[in-house]
Amino acid sequence: MLTGFYHSSVIQYFDGSLRSRQTVTKDNTTGNTVVAETIYDLQGRPNIQILPTPTLNSTIKYFKDFNRFIGQGTNDPAKYFDLTPIAVLCNRTLALDSNYGNGKYYSNQNPWLTIDSNAKYIPDAKGFAFTETRFMDDATERVRSQGGVGIDHQIGSGHETKYYYGKPSQNELDALFATEVGDASHYSKNMVRDANGQMSVSYVDMHGRTIATALAGDTTSGIS
């Protein structure tokens, strides 16, 4: 017999180009809404994914100016990302302003502190409770680098994930698969460097199928 149930209401808000801007969820147990936001770069690609942020509001609506970067003012937030003027090209994204939305929730100014004793366990993200993706400056739409949540894993920290795209040499393929592998021009060699500096390599054929993977890099210190 069904004795109880839980449900939530979710609405997504899109702009005129049909890009998703906000996802607002109402928790029908607490009655509060949770706001997740996506910010796009100057070419309209999803650059910043801001963590869902609980609010004290009980109304499902679009939250205008919910998140702001420090010093943003009324400027387009996309000006801070990688296709920006040379003076700030590829710099780390600014922190979120602790007076607004996500930046306020993940800080010592969290408004929940006065009504919920458990709010003291919410970490101070120092304005970096979001992930960032940057793309190649060409028409391929390939990912160049990705940052993680927190200041220590942002792009420019040295602990972001980086992506490299290239072509293998014929000698390299022949050594791996012998001469039956075919011409090297039919293959790609992609590499990913993770947050710990570990490099992984994948060989991909012209149909997009991965034919081999490997790890690359120096031997870890202390291991023979």
Side-chain angles (χ1 to χ4, degrees), residues 14-213:
F14 296 80
D15 63 17
S17 63
L18 297 183
R19 291 179 173 87
S20 176
R21 294 288 178 170
Q22 279 186 5
T23 300
V24 180
T25 304
K26 182 172 183 178
D27 184 337
N28 287 309
T29 298
T30 65
N32 297 106
T33 54
V34 180
V35 180
E37 188 166 24
T38 300
I39 299 177
Y40 297 81
D41 68 13
L42 295 175
Q43 292 193 33
R45 300 170 298 192
N47 184 276
I48 299 288
Q49 300 286 348
I50 299 177
L51 291 186
T53 308
T55 75
L56 297 177
N57 199 303
S58 60
T59 304
I60 295 182
K61 63 178 182 177
Y62 179 79
F63 287 78
K64 184 178 180 181
D65 296 326
F66 184 73
N67 295 299
R68 284 179 176 270
F69 292 98
I70 292 176
Q72 176 185 333
T74 58
N75 294 324
D76 182 349
K79 70 174 291 185
Y80 301 113
F81 306 147
D82 74 322
L83 293 181
T84 52
I86 294 299
V88 291
L89 182 65
C90 296
N91 284 356
R92 185 175 68 193
T93 302
L94 298 175
L96 291 170
D97 193 324
S98 61
N99 293 308
Y100 297 88
N102 180 279
K104 188 172 186 176
Y105 181 80
Y106 291 99
S107 75
N108 57 13
Q109 299 184 51
N110 188 326
W112 289 81
L113 289 170
T114 59
I115 60 175
D116 186 352
S117 61
N118 291 320
K120 63 184 178 182
Y121 299 111
I122 298 172
D124 185 352
K126 303 186 186 303
F128 292 97
F130 59 82
T131 62
E132 180 179 6
T133 302
R134 291 188 175 179
F135 300 86
M136 303 292 287
D137 294 339
D138 55 32
T140 63
E141 297 290 326
R142 295 181 297 188
V143 175
R144 184 174 65 188
S145 57
Q146 287 181 313
V149 175
I151 190 172
D152 292 330
H153 290 84
Q154 291 296 304
I155 290 176
S157 67
H159 291 285
E160 69 269 39
T161 300
K162 291 189 174 182
Y163 297 81
Y164 304 88
Y165 306 93
K167 302 288 290 186
S169 67
Q170 189 66 55
N171 290 339
E172 185 178 5
L173 287 177
D174 290 345
L176 288 169
F177 307 106
T179 56
E180 292 182 358
V181 70
D183 194 271
S185 63
H186 296 164
Y187 297 90
S188 298
K189 178 182 179 181
N190 302 329
M191 296 180 288
V192 180
R193 190 188 73 99
D194 68 16
N196 297 314
Q198 176 64 62
M199 189 76 76
S200 59
V201 184
S202 60
Y203 296 87
V204 182
D205 68 13
M206 61 193 306
H207 298 289
R209 299 173 299 198
T210 300
I211 61 171
T213 60

